[in-house]
C-alpha cells in the first residue's frame, strides 16, 4: 500500500506544484493589498490549481507514454507508465478521478466567491477550458504541446488567468496594473518549461514533438530564455515602481536580480542538453524566489501604507 501511494505521489510530480500555486498566491496578495481578501477563496483556489496541475502531470505521463516520447533516450526522470509501475488503464482512471475532484473543487470556489450569473458562467467556461487544456497538452490526435503551443498555454494559465483570475475571485474586478505581475508570473513559468524542453530537445525532435525549443534550436532557445527572465523581472519591478509607497520598501526585490542573473548565466554557458537537467530545479527555485520576494514587498507596502 505504501509503495502504491509513493508511486502515485511521484506520478503527481509534487515538485511542479509550487508553480501552479504561486500565481494564485500572487493574485490573492494583490487582492489583500486593496483590502479585499478571503481565506476560503484562497484555499479553494489553491486546491483547484493543485488538482489542475496534477491532472496535467498525469495526462503528460499518459500522452507521452502513448506516443513513445517517454523512452530510454529521454534525459528527464523516469515517469510512472514508462517505469512500468502504472498501466495506461490505471493512469486513465486516475485522470478521470482527478477531473471529478477538480470539478467539485472548482464549483465550490466559483459559487462561494461569485454572485453575478455572468461572472459565474464565465468562470465555469474557464474551468472547462483549463481541464481540457491540461489533458490536451499531450493527449489526443493533435496535442498542442507537440506543435509548440505549450509556452502559450503555460503563460495564460500560470500567468494571466492565475493572477488576474484569483484577484477577480476576491475583488470582483480587474485593474490594468494586474497585467504586470501576471506577465511576471507567466514568463517565469514559461522559463521553467523552456529549460525542460531544452533538456529534451534531441529526443523531442526525434519523436516529432515540435516544441518552441525544437523550432528555435538550442542556441536561440537560450536567448529566448534570457528574454523571459528579463521580461519577468521588468514586469514585477514596473508594478512595484507604480505603487504609491516609499522606494526603499522595494529594495528586497532586488535580490531576485542576483538570482535570475546567476541562473541565466548558467543556462547560457550550458553547451549540451544533458547540462540542462540540473538547471530545471534551479529554474523552479528562481521563479519561486522572485515571486515570493514580490509578494513580500507587496505585503510590506500594504501594511506600512
Amino acid at each position: 500500500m505504501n509503495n502504491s501511494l509513493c508511486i502515485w505521489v511521484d506520478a503527481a510530480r509534487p515538485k511542479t506544484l509550487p508553480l501552479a500555486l504561486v500565481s494564485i498566491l500572487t493574485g490573492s496578495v494583490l487582492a489583500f493589498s486593496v483590502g479585499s481578501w478571503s481565506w476560503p477563496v484562497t484555499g479553494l483556489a489553491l486546491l483547484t490549481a493543485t488538482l489542475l496541475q496534477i491532472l496535467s502531470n498525469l495526462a503528460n505521463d499518459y500522452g507521452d507514454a502513448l506516443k513513445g516520447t517517454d523512452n530510454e533516450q529521454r534525459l528527464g526522470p523516469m515517469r510512472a507508465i514508462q517505469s512500468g509501475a502504472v498501466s495506461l488503464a490505471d493512469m486513465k482512471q486516475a485522470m478521470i478521478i482527478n477531473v471529478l475532484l477538480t470539478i467539485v473543487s472548482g464549483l465550490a470556489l466559483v459559487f462561494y466567491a461569485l454572485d453575478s450569473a455572468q461572472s459565474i458562467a464565465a468562470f465555469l467556461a474557464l474551468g472547462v477550458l483549463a481541464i481540457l487544456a491540461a489533458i490536451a497538452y499531450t493527449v489526443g490526435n493533435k496535442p498542442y504541446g507537440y506543435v509548440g503551443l505549450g509556452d502559450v498555454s503555460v503563460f495564460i494559465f500560470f500567468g494571466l488567468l492565475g493572477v488576474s483570475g484569483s484577484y477577480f475571485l476576491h475583488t470582483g474586478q480587474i485593474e490594468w496594473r494586474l497585467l504586470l505581475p501576471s506577465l511576471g508570473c507567466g514568463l517565469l513559468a514559461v522559463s521553467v518549461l523552456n529549460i525542460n524542453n531544452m533538456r529534451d530537445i534531441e529526443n523531442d525532435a526525434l519523436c516529432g514533438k515540435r516544441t518552441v525549443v525544437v523550432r528555435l534550436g538550442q542556441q536561440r532557445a537560450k536567448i529566448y530564455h534570457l528574454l523571459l527572465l528579463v521580461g519577468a523581472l521588468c514586469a514585477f519591478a514596473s508594478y512595484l515602481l507604480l505603487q504609491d509607497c516609499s522606494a526603499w520598501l522595494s529594495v528586497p526585490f532586488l535580490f531576485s536580480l542576483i538570482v535570475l542573473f546567476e541562473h541565466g548565466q548558467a543556462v547560457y554557458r550550458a553547451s549540451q542538453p544533458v547540462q540542462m537537467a540540473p538547471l530545471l530545479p534551479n529554474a523552479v527555485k528562481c521563479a519561486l524566489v522572485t515571486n515570493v520576494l514580490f509578494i513580500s514587498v507587496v505585503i510590506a507596502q500594504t501594511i506600512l501604507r
Side-chain angles (χ1 to χ4, degrees), residues 62-74:
Y62 181 85
D64 283 341
L66 206 59
K67 291 174 174 59
T69 308
D70 285 345
N71 53 42
E72 294 179 356
Q73 284 70 48
R74 182 175 174 271

Side-chain angles (χ1 to χ4, degrees), residues 110-161:
V110 169
F111 284 104
Y112 180 87
L114 302 173
D115 297 321
S116 164
Q118 186 176 5
S119 296
I120 290 173
F123 268 83
L124 290 178
L126 288 173
V128 172
L129 182 62
I131 290 173
L132 292 176
I135 296 172
Y137 182 69
T138 58
V139 177
N141 294 328
K142 294 182 179 180
Y144 65 86
Y146 277 68
V147 295
L149 295 176
D151 294 45
V152 176
S153 177
V154 166
F155 176 74
I156 291 173
F157 288 102
F158 286 76
L160 298 180
L161 290 181

Side-chain angles (χ1 to χ4, degrees), residues 222-240:
K222 290 181 184 180
I223 297 173
Y224 171 57
H225 192 79
L226 297 181
L227 291 174
L228 292 172
L229 299 181
V230 172
L233 186 68
C234 290
F236 281 128
S238 297
Y239 180 88
L240 295 176

Side-chain angles (χ1 to χ4, degrees), residues 29 52 61 94 133 218:
V29 167
L52 281 169
D61 199 316
Q218 191 82 340

Side-chain angles (χ1 to χ4, degrees), residues 2-13:
N2 288 336
N3 287 338
S4 178
L5 179 61
C6 288
I7 288 169
W8 285 109
V9 169
D10 287 341
R13 295 166 63 191

